Amino acid sequence: MARVPRGSWVARRRALDRLRRGSAHSAASRNHPQGCTWTGVQERVRGRWAARIRVPGTHTRLWIGRFEQALEAALAYDTALFCFHGPHRLPSPRRFNFPAAPRPKIREDVRATLTRADIKRIAESHARFLANFYVGTLPGVSPAAASPPPPPPPAAAAGADGAAAVANEATATTDGSNGNNCMG
C-alpha cells in the first residue's frame, strides 16, 4: 500500500476504516476487558476468567482452565510459562505477570519431560493454592466492614463478664438441678 500524506482525505479514510474494523491496538484492549492487563487472561461469560498460553514451537494454544478470579488465571498463566520455559529462559515477548511469585518446586529434568496435561494440572492447582495468599480488599467491601470489631477494654470486659457469670450461676442453681448435669 502506498504511503499517503498525513492530512489527506485518504489517510483520514483509512483511519476511519481501522476504527470501524478494529485495529491491532483495539484488539488488544478487547482481550483485556475492564482494566485487566494480565497476560494470558480473558474474561469469560458470567464473570469467570480463563487462562491460555501459547505452546512453544507451535501455533497452538493450551487452555489452562476457568477461574473465579482474574488473579487465579494470571497465576496459572505464570505457572504454565514457568513449566514451559523455566525460570530464566523466557523468550523476549514473554513475561511473568507476577515476577516475585513463588514457582512450583520442579526439578529441571522433570520439567523438561512434562506433558501438556501435566502442565495444565500443575498450573491450575498451583494458581488456586497461591491465590489464597494474595490478600487485598474485596471489591464492594470497605476495610472497616471486613475487619472484626475491636476487643473491649480490659476493665470493662472483667466487669461485664463477672456480672454475666453471676447471672448464669443464679439461673443454673434455680432450675432445680442443683448443679448436677446428669439426666437421671
Side-chain angles (χ1 to χ4, degrees):
M1 189 180 293
R3 188 177 174 132
V4 294
R6 229 193 281 202
S8 71
W9 67 272
V10 175
R12 282 184 297 225
R13 175 69 184 248
R14 286 182 185 162
L16 285 174
D17 286 344
R18 279 194 303 271
L19 285 175
R20 270 190 231 118
R21 282 191 320 262
S23 65
H25 300 292
S26 64
S29 66
R30 274 185 270 139
N31 290 338
H32 301 291
Q34 299 178 356
C36 180
T37 57
W38 288 322
T39 306
V41 178
Q42 290 181 329
E43 187 173 13
R44 306 304 286 174
V45 295
R46 298 185 183 98
R48 298 188 82 190
W49 298 87
R52 295 189 315 172
I53 188 169
R54 189 169 156 256
V55 178
T58 67
H59 294 289
T60 62
R61 290 185 167 264
L62 174 65
W63 176 268
I64 300 170
R66 276 185 292 192
F67 300 90
E68 295 297 324
Q69 300 173 1
L71 174 73
E72 290 177 343
L75 289 167
Y77 173 85
D78 282 3
T79 305
L81 188 64
F82 170 78
C83 289
F84 277 128
H85 297 287
H88 305 295
R89 293 182 288 143
L90 294 179
S92 62
R94 305 272 185 239
R95 63 179 175 80
F96 288 118
N97 291 314
F98 301 98
R103 307 288 174 231
K105 304 274 189 254
I106 303 173
R107 291 192 333 251
E108 186 67 25
D109 58 334
V110 174
R111 190 189 59 75
T113 61
L114 292 174
T115 64
R116 292 181 186 187
D118 293 336
I119 291 173
K120 180 178 176 176
R121 183 183 43 79
I122 291 169
E124 276 190 62
S125 63
H126 191 70
R128 292 185 203 284
F129 173 75
L130 280 183
N132 295 328
F133 296 105
Y134 278 86
V135 179
T137 58
L138 297 172
V141 177
S142 67
S147 63
D161 289 339
V166 169
N168 286 340
E169 284 181 17
T171 56
T173 57
T174 58
D175 65 356
S177 64
N178 295 330
N180 189 0
N181 289 337
C182 294
M183 296 298 288

